[in-house]
Amino acid sequence: MSRALITVSSNIDRDRAARWAAQAPAGTRIEFKEPKRSIPQNDRLWAMLTDVATQKEHAGRKYTPDQWKILFMHACGREVQFIPALDNSTFIPWGQSSSDLSKGEMTDLIEFIFSWGASNGVTFQDPESAARAA
């Protein structure tokens, strides 16, 4: 087995993880993560990023929600680097994807965006209300 993932939901899952760990060869990497961010959190994040993107500029220009996400993740201490494109025509962001954030990390990111937005005059729309209006 080169890769495996267990989401712990019961003692059966805990027992399986313990059995696999006991049988793992030396050098095997084992990683424990908090529960993954939720779909409602993801929906909220993208609604907020869209609100920021439509209402604000940074350094004199408009940015897409994806670009704002990179800016906010960097501001929250997530590693983001910019590396040259293969044709050297531009730089592209490289860093942790928001899809890998835990529920707690996503909450921190959303709270940071909300705080930044409140300090910078962003009016956030409720994603459920926006979805009903669409």
Side-chain angles (χ1 to χ4, degrees), residues 113-122 124:
I113 296 169
F114 181 77
S115 176
W116 185 92
S119 297
N120 288 278
V122 176
F124 290 110

Side-chain angles (χ1 to χ4, degrees), residues 49 58 67-82 96 105 108-117 120:
L49 291 170
H58 173 64
Q67 292 167 320
W68 278 104
K69 181 185 81 166
I70 297 294
L71 289 167
F72 284 122
M73 287 185 65
H74 180 266
C76 285
R78 297 285 166 207
E79 181 181 359
V80 178
Q81 297 176 358
F82 289 87
Q96 183 181 18
E105 291 167 331
D108 292 345
L109 178 60
I110 288 170
E111 288 177 1
F112 180 86
I113 296 169
F114 181 77
S115 176
W116 185 92
N120 288 278

Side-chain angles (χ1 to χ4, degrees), residues 3-110:
R3 288 184 182 255
L5 172 68
I6 297 174
T7 301
V8 177
S9 301
S10 68
N11 284 337
I12 292 170
D13 300 323
R14 292 178 195 283
D15 292 342
R16 181 181 311 125
R19 190 172 55 254
W20 287 359
Q23 296 171 354
T28 297
R29 299 172 293 160
I30 298 174
E31 181 177 22
F32 292 92
K33 293 182 178 183
E34 293 179 5
K36 196 171 181 180
R37 56 122 172 99
S38 69
I39 292 174
Q41 283 181 309
N42 190 60
D43 293 346
R44 183 67 182 144
L45 172 68
W46 286 102
M48 293 176 79
L49 291 170
T50 299
D51 290 338
V52 171
T54 58
Q55 297 174 40
K56 301 307 291 181
E57 290 184 355
H58 173 64
R61 61 182 287 211
K62 298 290 272 182
Y63 288 99
T64 67
D66 277 323
Q67 292 167 320
W68 278 104
K69 181 185 81 166
I70 297 294
L71 289 167
F72 284 122
M73 287 185 65
H74 180 266
C76 285
R78 297 285 166 207
E79 181 181 359
V80 178
Q81 297 176 358
F82 289 87
I83 57 176
L86 291 176
D87 64 4
N88 290 317
S89 64
T90 189
F91 286 85
I92 53 175
W94 175 86
Q96 183 181 18
S97 168
S98 60
S99 64
D100 193 44
L101 295 178
S102 70
K103 286 182 180 181
E105 291 167 331
M106 184 65 103
T107 296
D108 292 345
L109 178 60
I110 288 170

